């Protein structure tokens, strides 16, 4: 088992299944409701554990009932939660999530104040013993300290560069060895413009590998070792039920693959498969696949091609 440290955001999601959401004020009846843990890094940690890795979560929370639930759920999923630190006087993150009949999502987030916590308590010396480090952009001070420590230790580091303030993305993208953006994250980072230009900007800041996930269109990337070529692999064609946490599953699977010394393109294909399986299942992190499921999916996909 390879250890992956996932650092950043943990939250509690309340997920409601609805037919559609209205464009104006209305009451909408939900057909189901789930109360599950969320947060980018926390979801990625669960994905790592489901895929057979040793998952550790590091991040701040409030000293509240939401944190108690987050802790219990992560622990039950097989994640080492010794790095989930609760701060008196701060509040944990929680969200209300609507999933419509097409599997699309609408998220109303309350970030709380825990993400304002300092990062001086992080056990950065432990990063050297990990196979990879994954940081999200929700807790920038923690991500920055951990990414720099991973670089010093020679540990593969990934930034989950989802939508955030441009200044946050600018400060973190070059600190990671692997900068993996969502489309919205790349647009925020680069101020619009073309994909290739945005990825090249991340390389210019110090990343060695820059990629963007494009949902059903796949993944595009550029490597510092060969800046002349923009690479692309398509997504797997699957019936989409729910996209919630698919990006987090992708990043967890990608980081674990790097920890297992897979080549970047192989790691992207593996992560694509894990995220595709997640999209065929309702719920967030609960839809994370196992290693056997991903390997079987890849074998079947190879047989069809």
């Amino acid at each position: 088992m390879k250890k992956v440290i996932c650092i950043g955001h943990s939250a509690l999601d309340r997920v409601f299944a609805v037919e559609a959401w209205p464009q104006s004020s209305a009451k909408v009846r939900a057909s189901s409701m789930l109360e599950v843990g969320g947060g980018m890094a926390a979801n990625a940690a669960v994905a790592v554990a489901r895929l057979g890795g040793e998952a550790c979560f590091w991040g701040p929370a409030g000293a509240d009932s939401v944190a108690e639930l987050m802790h219990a759920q992560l622990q039950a999923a097989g994640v080492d939660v010794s790095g989930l630190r609760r701060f008196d006087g701060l509040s944990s993150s929680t969200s209300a999530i609507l999933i419509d009949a097409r599997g699309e999502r609408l998220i109303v987030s309350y970030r709380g104040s825990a993400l304002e916590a300092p990062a001086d308590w992080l056990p950065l010396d432990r990063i050297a013993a990990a196979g990879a480090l994954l940081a999200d952009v929700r807790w920038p001070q923690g991500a920055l300290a951990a990414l720099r420590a991973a670089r010093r230790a020679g540990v593969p580091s990934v930034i989950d560069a989802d939508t955030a303030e441009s200044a946050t993305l600018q400060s973190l993208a070059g600190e990671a060895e692997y900068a993996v953006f969502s489309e919205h994250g790349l647009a925020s980072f680069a101020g619009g413009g073309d994909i290739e230009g945005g990825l090249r900007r991340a390389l210019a800041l110090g990343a060695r590998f820059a990629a963007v996930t494009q949902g059903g269109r796949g993944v595009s990337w550029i490597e510092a070792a060969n800046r002349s070529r923009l690479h692309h692999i398509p997504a797997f064609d699957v019936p989409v039920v729910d996209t919630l946490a698919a990006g987090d599953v992708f990043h967890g699977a990608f980081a674990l693959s790097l920890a297992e010394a897979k080549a970047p393109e192989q790691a992207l294909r593996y992560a694509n498969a894990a995220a595709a399986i997640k999209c065929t299942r309702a719920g967030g992190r609960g839809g994370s696949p196992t290693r056997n499921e991903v390997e079987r999916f890849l074998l079947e996909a190879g047989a069809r091609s």
Side-chain angles (χ1 to χ4, degrees):
M1 293 175 64
K2 293 295 185 179
K3 178 186 291 187
V4 179
I5 298 170
C6 300
I7 182 166
H9 188 211
S10 179
L12 184 69
D13 292 340
R14 293 177 172 90
V15 185
F16 301 84
V18 299
E19 182 63 26
W21 45 79
Q23 300 303 310
S24 60
S25 298
K27 289 185 178 180
V28 179
R29 183 180 296 275
S31 58
S32 66
M33 193 278 280
L34 293 172
E35 191 171 64
V36 297
M40 295 163 64
N43 284 343
V46 172
V48 169
R50 291 276 290 170
L51 292 168
E54 181 184 348
C56 302
F57 175 79
W58 294 358
D64 50 31
S65 59
V66 171
E68 294 290 341
L69 284 169
M70 293 191 303
H71 185 281
Q73 290 183 356
L74 285 170
Q75 191 170 56
V79 176
D80 178 349
V81 286
S82 59
L84 175 61
R85 180 160 178 176
R86 284 167 271 191
F87 289 85
D88 289 334
L90 300 183
S91 54
S92 301
S93 298
T94 188
S95 299
I97 300 172
L98 304 183
I99 306 293
D100 72 11
R102 299 172 301 163
E104 295 300 320
R105 56 184 174 165
L106 176 66
I107 303 176
V108 181
S109 296
Y110 172 67
R111 290 278 171 83
S113 57
L115 293 171
E116 301 168 9
D120 55 2
W121 56 273
L122 287 172
L124 299 178
D125 57 313
R126 298 183 191 172
I127 292 175
L133 179 124
L134 169 67
D136 69 32
V137 294
R138 298 292 178 254
W139 186 39
Q141 52 270 46
L144 186 63
L147 290 170
R148 287 176 173 173
R151 277 287 185 105
R152 291 193 298 269
V155 172
S157 57
V158 182
I159 183 68
D160 182 350
D162 200 1
T163 306
E165 294 293 328
S166 177
T168 297
L169 292 166
Q170 297 289 335
S171 68
L172 296 176
E175 299 291 346
E177 187 176 3
Y178 296 85
V180 184
F181 296 86
S182 67
E183 286 188 284
H184 292 302
L186 186 63
S188 297
F189 167 73
D194 65 295
I195 283 175
E196 186 170 351
L199 296 179
R200 291 188 183 281
R201 178 168 177 77
L203 296 181
L205 289 176
R208 297 175 186 170
F209 178 100
V212 58
T213 59
Q214 298 168 280
R217 301 192 309 282
V219 184
S220 298
W221 79 95
I222 300 178
E223 299 182 57
N226 182 13
R227 294 173 185 255
S228 63
R229 184 179 176 190
L230 176 69
H231 303 267
H232 180 82
I233 55 174
F236 293 99
D237 185 14
V238 296
V240 175
V241 173
D242 183 355
T243 61
L244 182 63
D248 306 330
V249 170
F250 179 98
H251 284 84
F254 182 69
L256 178 59
S257 295
L258 295 177
E260 295 173 345
K262 289 184 174 73
E265 184 170 357
Q266 185 183 9
L268 288 174
R269 180 172 168 79
Y270 188 87
N272 252 356
I277 295 170
K278 161 64 209 68
C279 287
T280 66
R281 299 170 175 175
R285 67 170 60 153
S288 296
T290 65
R291 180 179 293 267
N292 286 341
E293 288 172 331
V294 175
E295 290 176 350
R296 184 168 61 250
F297 181 93
L298 288 169
L299 282 173
E300 292 172 354
R304 291 192 300 267
S305 62

